[in-house]
Amino acid sequence: MASSGEEPRSGSPGRAGTGTELEEEADAAQLDTAEDFEVLEEEEEDDEDDLSELPPLEDVGRPREDAQPPEQGAGEAAGDPQEWLDVLGNGLLKKKTLVAGQGVDSRPQKGQDVTIRLKATLEDGTVVEEDPALTFTLGDCDVLQALDLCVQLLEMGETALIVSDAKYCYGAQGRSPDIPPNTSLTLEVELLAAQDAPDLELLSGKEKIQLANRKRERGNFFYQQADYVLAINSYDIALRIVGSSSKVDFSPDEEAELLDVKVKCLNNLAASQLKLDHFKAALKSCNQVLEHQPGNIKALFRKGKVLAQQGEYREAIPILKAALKLEPSNKTIHAELSKLVKKHADQRNVETEMYRKMLGNPSAAGTPGKCKDKLPWSIPWKWLFGATAIALGGVALSVVIAARN
């Protein structure tokens, strides 16, 4: 079985991947045994069920002219209400300039690598994060969405205060042990630098692997937060990095590691798509994994689940049996397979009864036993078919004989 890789973790405001919550350690144990395929292992279509309710980054443009002041009592954010910018117009994300920058033309662009100084505090002033030089790709959702939305509005050298609702930070999950669930954050940010992202074609094998893994780990963070749309976005970015052309030769080990990253991303992509009922896309992702690793149990399991969700029990059951053959002791596959076998049997019974009604043949339960043999429709259809075939053959033979005479 392919390695399931690292356990996705909650991260800092800068990046995901540094948490140490005990519950996550328990999840990691489940992943190692592969008994809970619903938990993400290490691993677009329009979404009609936006679980995260997060606005797309494309909605953020120039500062709003009709910005409304925030409510008072926002801890460190208190100040002149006229200086605040309501970034999204919903009162949940506000920005105020503390130190002016070098002008609008110096603002960073999406796709650039930016470096900021960050200080994050709770409403009571408790500092939960400090980073003198946090670097990330703007617009790739590498960091908290509050940062991704607001840093693109900063001018070079500008220092700003950002007050964000939990919705654009750690949401209902929080970050153990220092950020409780549904907690707003105040972020002090200074834009230090911005430069174009490196050319993927010129990255070494090691650099490409590291970059793809960072995007994948961010997808894992969003998956744990139940932000499956953003998780899909991060996995797609990682896959584009892995699949990009290169002018640099890679070693066999680097090629194998890139393939491993690709498989993990595709597996997690399928898991996210399955959560959103994007069955066609999830099936495609599973098939791509199986092209590289026909014995990948997680891909087989998820493919079986996708087909089952679509009512294709006949196709799903052999796939789950193949997965079970590879790992006979897996209780999750056993349970899913048993459930599908029962559903398939029920489906066949319903179809059989429907065909009986269509052919005018009542079910055995509805036909009195003593009259069964006397009813004309009780004659087996195979006998009728055979008699008809013989009669037609006789007619054909007579025609042939007559034609010869």
Side-chain angles (χ1 to χ4, degrees), residues 75-76 121-127:
E76 291 185 38
T121 60
L122 303 178
E123 291 181 333
D124 63 4
T126 302
V127 178

Side-chain angles (χ1 to χ4, degrees), residues 117-351:
R117 176 182 62 80
L118 172 67
K119 179 181 178 182
T121 60
L122 303 178
E123 291 181 333
D124 63 4
T126 302
V127 178
V128 292
E129 186 75 20
E130 283 191 277
D131 195 326
L134 172 65
T135 299
F136 60 95
T137 303
L138 188 61
D140 275 10
C141 299
D142 291 343
V143 292
L144 296 180
Q145 197 174 17
L147 289 173
D148 229 346
L149 291 166
C150 292
V151 168
Q152 58 187 292
L153 301 177
L154 296 182
E155 300 170 3
M156 189 60 61
E158 177 182 349
T159 299
L161 207 59
I162 299 168
V163 177
S164 174
D165 183 80
K167 181 178 183 179
Y168 308 115
C169 295
Y170 289 98
Q173 301 272 342
R175 187 189 72 180
S176 180
D178 52 355
I179 302 178
N182 299 310
T183 298
S184 298
L185 291 179
T186 297
L187 311 173
E188 183 179 312
V189 182
E190 179 184 2
L191 180 58
L192 303 176
Q195 59 184 4
D196 291 339
D199 188 342
L200 295 179
E201 290 187 338
L202 301 179
L203 292 180
S204 67
K206 183 178 180 180
E207 290 171 331
K208 181 172 283 192
I209 292 167
Q210 290 176 341
L211 180 59
N213 271 327
R214 286 204 298 270
K215 306 300 183 182
R216 175 182 53 78
E217 288 166 3
R218 191 59 184 171
N220 295 346
F221 167 77
F222 285 127
Y223 187 99
Q224 283 194 329
Q225 298 291 321
D227 292 338
Y228 304 117
V229 174
L230 293 182
I232 288 173
N233 176 71
S234 294
Y235 295 136
D236 279 338
I237 294 173
L239 288 168
R240 287 201 298 270
I241 293 170
V242 171
S244 62
S245 59
S246 179
K247 297 178 180 179
V248 180
D249 292 331
F250 299 154
S251 69
D253 288 343
E254 289 172 337
E255 292 282 6
E257 195 167 351
L258 281 169
L259 177 59
D260 185 55
V261 175
K262 179 179 181 180
V263 167
K264 290 174 181 176
C265 288
L266 285 169
N267 255 332
N268 284 356
L269 183 62
S272 303
Q273 291 162 335
L274 190 56
K275 289 288 188 179
L276 296 176
D277 293 340
H278 291 174
F279 300 130
K280 184 177 180 181
L283 187 61
K284 180 179 178 181
S285 298
C286 291
N287 285 335
Q288 287 180 293
V289 173
L290 296 173
E291 287 176 7
H292 298 292
Q293 297 180 356
N296 189 292
I297 294 180
K298 287 186 172 69
L300 287 170
F301 179 83
R302 290 201 176 104
K303 182 175 181 179
K305 287 207 68 173
V306 169
L307 292 171
Q309 291 284 351
Q310 295 177 305
E312 303 292 343
Y313 304 127
R314 187 190 303 272
E315 290 79 8
I317 289 174
I319 293 173
L320 290 181
K321 285 182 177 179
L324 191 60
K325 186 176 181 180
L326 293 170
E327 196 168 304
S329 61
N330 192 293
K331 297 178 182 178
T332 303
I333 302 177
H334 268 293
E336 187 68 20
L337 184 56
S338 298
K339 182 172 65 176
L340 291 191
V341 169
K342 183 179 184 303
K343 287 184 176 180
H344 187 217
D346 293 342
Q347 184 186 61
R348 292 179 63 183
N349 289 336
V350 171
E351 291 175 350

Side-chain angles (χ1 to χ4, degrees), residues 56-122:
L57 297 182
E58 288 73 12
D59 286 349
V60 182
R62 297 182 177 180
R64 294 169 53 89
E65 299 296 335
D66 59 344
Q68 297 297 319
E71 297 179 2
Q72 295 299 318
E76 291 185 38
D80 182 358
Q82 299 303 322
E83 296 179 3
W84 286 92
L85 172 68
D86 188 350
V87 176
L88 299 175
N90 59 8
L92 301 180
L93 185 63
K94 305 180 182 73
K95 167 188 171 291
K96 180 174 72 171
T97 299
L98 301 179
V99 178
Q102 300 174 11
V104 175
D105 293 340
S106 66
R107 288 179 178 173
Q109 302 297 316
K110 290 181 182 179
Q112 287 188 314
D113 286 345
V114 297
T115 302
I116 63 172
R117 176 182 62 80
L118 172 67
K119 179 181 178 182
T121 60
L122 303 178

